[in-house]
Amino acid sequence: MEQYIITGGHELHGSIPISGAKNAALGILPATLLCSGVCRIENLPQISDVRNMLDILASMGVRIRYLNKNAVEIDTTHTQNVPTPYEMVRKLRASYYLIGALLGRFGKAEVALPGGCDFGFRPIDQHIKGFEALGATVQITEGGIVQVEAKDGLVGASIYLDVVSVGATMNIMLAAALIKGQTVIENAAREPHIVDLANFLNTMGADITGAGTDVIKVRGVEQLHGCTYSIIPDQIEAGTYLALAAATGGAVTVTGVIPKHLESITAKLSEMGAEIEEGDDTVTVRRDSSVRMRRINLKTQPYPGFPTDMQPQFGVLMSMAEGTSILTEGIYDNRYRYVNELRRMGAEATVDGRIAVFEGVEKLNAAPVHAPDLRAGAALIMAALCAEGTTVIDEIHYIERGYEDIVRKLKSVGAEIRLVEIPDGAALERAN
Ligand code: UD1
């Protein structure tokens, strides 16, 4: 088992290059299945979610060749439409994109229900509604396998999403790219990674317009071809490092970013008292650590609202800001499991359903904690880097799902963090 050992209480200074976007990569990799040919994907983040997705593709006969750490060549010429093994799929929420991609290419798919972070009930009814509207029949077996088939082929249709869903929007785009007629997705999600998937599919020869607005039109084409494509920078990775610099104080610049994607985050950091400076592809956060941050209220919403994937990181900021801050989770039912861990570090916070109230304290203190999920784990790293003393974080495999080279990147701006391997027995002893 691996742990992070972190000693906090220092300001951070320097710059951090931002990797490719996890959630764009996890849509784009399965999208390569829609062609029979070779795609070269660049700026691919080297994280465990991406490696898992590549393993799943390889299990289907797709040939993967790493060109360097962040670029792969994916040859889908010999893809077999075989059921994807549950053991591989359960690790990855984004495995649901295999359904849309396989349905689009082969007219049928069999994929186990997805895993991923546990934020409470995460239905895929809107994905299913979309596939059915295009003419597929969908069955979920007792063993939790989603079987989708379009015996008479798929035909474009108008689909109104009852909830704004990133996953359903991307999955319907995948299923619709190669079929007859036009598909219109209304009340579509508008996240940057939706635009990136549309741009990738269009580079492969698709005809998609409106991505980034709430009405997306997909005009089916007969064939898609291989291409070279570079993934956008990760909005959440960048946002996490910006929030971290505001929390510890100091001055950190994230480089290789699209500042527009970070506006909802930087606006809130500025409201809390941090100084923000935007360049063409950089954003800098500066804060004097001797002055406390100001309290704020915040609600997570679909893009361009404040992202739910930055909610735990702001929980940490609120736990140290002066006064009472109110945080409302607008997307998921159960995304506050990190609050218990923060309390162990001295935070004063209560949770009632989707609302958390933080009475800011002057300082957090070190404590042994565990990462309950990916972004909550990143938030606990932030808390540990602010706390007096040395914090040990367990269950860090969640964090490695989404942050490339996090230890090296943090050290480069002056953080005291190291990764240690401990024998499993020792972990059990501590847990008791
Ligand atoms: C994706 C991201 C995740 C991020 C989330 C919100 C991936 C692999 N994951 O997750 O990192 O936290 O977007 O930005 O890209 N819903 C339904 N029915 C559905 C689908 C969704 O009710 O069929 C609900 C969900 O329960 C949730 C909301 O809609 O309350 C948004 O979900 P969605 O945008 O689909 O998020 P995910 O794809 O799960």
Side-chain angles (χ1 to χ4, degrees):
M1 195 180 98
E2 290 180 328
Q3 299 176 325
Y4 290 140
I5 313 278
I6 297 171
T7 304
H10 316 293
E11 287 196 346
L12 300 179
H13 291 268
S15 64
I16 300 180
I18 295 306
S19 300
K22 164 177 114 41
N23 288 346
L26 294 175
I28 286 171
L29 293 175
T32 61
L33 293 170
L34 286 168
C35 78
S36 174
V38 179
C39 293
R40 182 187 168 126
I41 310 295
E42 297 170 353
N43 204 29
L44 187 66
Q46 181 59 262
I47 51 178
S48 62
D49 266 14
V50 160
R51 289 193 292 274
N52 283 331
M53 181 61 88
L54 290 172
D55 285 348
I56 295 175
L57 293 178
S59 77
M60 301 165 73
V62 172
R63 292 202 187 127
I64 316 274
R65 191 163 71 93
Y66 266 94
L67 304 171
N68 60 50
K69 183 159 119 354
N70 299 109
V72 285
E73 214 169 66
I74 299 179
D75 183 351
T76 54
T77 316
H78 304 289
T79 307
Q80 298 142 16
N81 190 12
V82 289
T84 42
Y86 173 69
E87 270 314 302
M88 294 176 114
V89 166
R90 75 180 178 89
K91 294 184 195 157
L92 196 62
R93 176 120 199 108
S95 50
Y96 53 38
Y97 293 130
L98 295 164
I99 309 175
L102 291 171
L103 183 64
R105 173 141 170 213
F106 297 108
K108 98 190 244 195
E110 216 172 280
V111 178
L113 276 173
C117 289
D118 177 12
F119 308 146
F121 183 47
R122 294 178 81 178
I124 59 162
D125 59 306
Q126 299 303 305
H127 304 230
I128 293 174
K129 173 177 165 174
F131 300 144
E132 287 179 339
L134 300 177
T137 53
V138 182
Q139 269 194 322
I140 301 182
T141 67
E142 274 182 14
I145 308 287
V146 188
Q147 295 174 330
V148 185
E149 188 164 9
K151 285 215 170 83
D152 304 319
L154 295 169
V155 184
S158 273
I159 299 155
Y160 179 87
L161 296 180
D162 301 322
V163 287
V164 179
S165 159
V166 172
T169 303
M170 293 196 1
N171 230 340
I172 296 167
M173 282 161 63
L174 292 169
L178 276 176
I179 67 181
K180 279 200 198 107
Q182 173 173 274
T183 298
V184 181
I185 310 170
E186 289 184 77
N187 201 25
R190 292 179 279 171
E191 268 69 1
H193 35 290
I194 298 215
V195 180
D196 210 34
L197 176 63
N199 287 342
F200 173 68
L201 290 169
N202 286 341
T203 310
M204 290 172 93
D207 184 356
I208 300 176
T209 52
T213 76
D214 58 4
V215 181
I216 298 178
K217 292 187 176 149
V218 185
R219 292 171 200 85
V221 296
E222 291 216 339
Q223 215 180 339
L224 296 177
H225 50 77
C227 67
T228 295
Y229 192 79
S230 181
I231 292 173
I232 53 165
D234 197 304
Q235 173 206 22
I236 305 299
E237 188 200 14
T240 301
Y241 291 127
L242 293 175
L244 169 64
T248 60
V252 170
T253 301
V254 288
T255 63
V257 298
I258 300 173
K260 175 121 195 77
H261 294 169
L262 297 168
E263 274 172 1
S264 63
I265 300 163
T266 48
K268 280 296 177 187
L269 291 176
S270 160
E271 206 179 315
M272 295 188 90
E275 198 187 306
I276 309 291
E277 191 184 315
E278 283 183 10
D280 287 344
D281 66 352
T282 60
V283 176
T284 302
V285 166
R286 279 191 197 87
R287 198 179 72 77
D288 175 353
S289 58
S290 64
V291 181
R292 281 188 67 192
M293 283 174 290
R294 294 193 282 268
R295 58 157 301 281
I296 53 159
N297 293 338
L298 177 63
K299 180 174 183 185
T300 66
Q301 284 170 316
Y303 191 85
F306 188 90
T308 173
D309 282 356
M310 285 298 300
Q311 183 259 93
Q313 298 89 317
F314 269 69
V316 173
L317 291 171
M318 289 176 174
S319 71
M320 291 179 292
E322 196 156 19
T324 307
S325 298
I326 300 175
L327 184 53
T328 307
E329 171 54 51
I331 313 283
Y332 293 110
D333 287 332
N334 185 14
R335 213 172 176 174
Y336 284 125
R337 285 180 308 152
Y338 68 94
V339 172
N340 266 340
E341 303 303 295
L342 277 187
R343 279 204 204 102
R344 290 151 55 78
M345 299 180 76
E348 288 181 18
T350 52
V351 175
D352 185 3
R354 288 184 167 203
I355 296 178
V357 178
F358 293 86
E359 300 291 345
V361 294
E362 279 206 22
K363 277 223 172 300
L364 296 175
N365 47 265
V369 291
H370 76 271
D373 61 63
L374 164 60
R375 305 302 173 187
L380 291 173
I381 292 181
M382 281 175 61
L385 286 170
C386 296
E388 304 247 297
T390 299
T391 293
V392 179
I393 306 183
D394 276 345
E395 309 274 0
I396 61 165
H397 57 95
Y398 283 116
I399 302 169
E400 295 183 343
R401 284 188 38 210
Y403 290 89
E404 176 170 354
D405 265 348
I406 187 164
V407 171
R408 193 182 53 76
K409 288 185 184 186
L410 287 173
K411 277 183 163 169
S412 76
V413 291
E416 261 190 71
I417 175 170
R418 64 197 166 86
L419 177 99
V420 293
E421 185 112 18
I422 58 159
D424 284 350
L428 270 180
E429 225 168 82
R430 248 172 38 78
N432 293 334

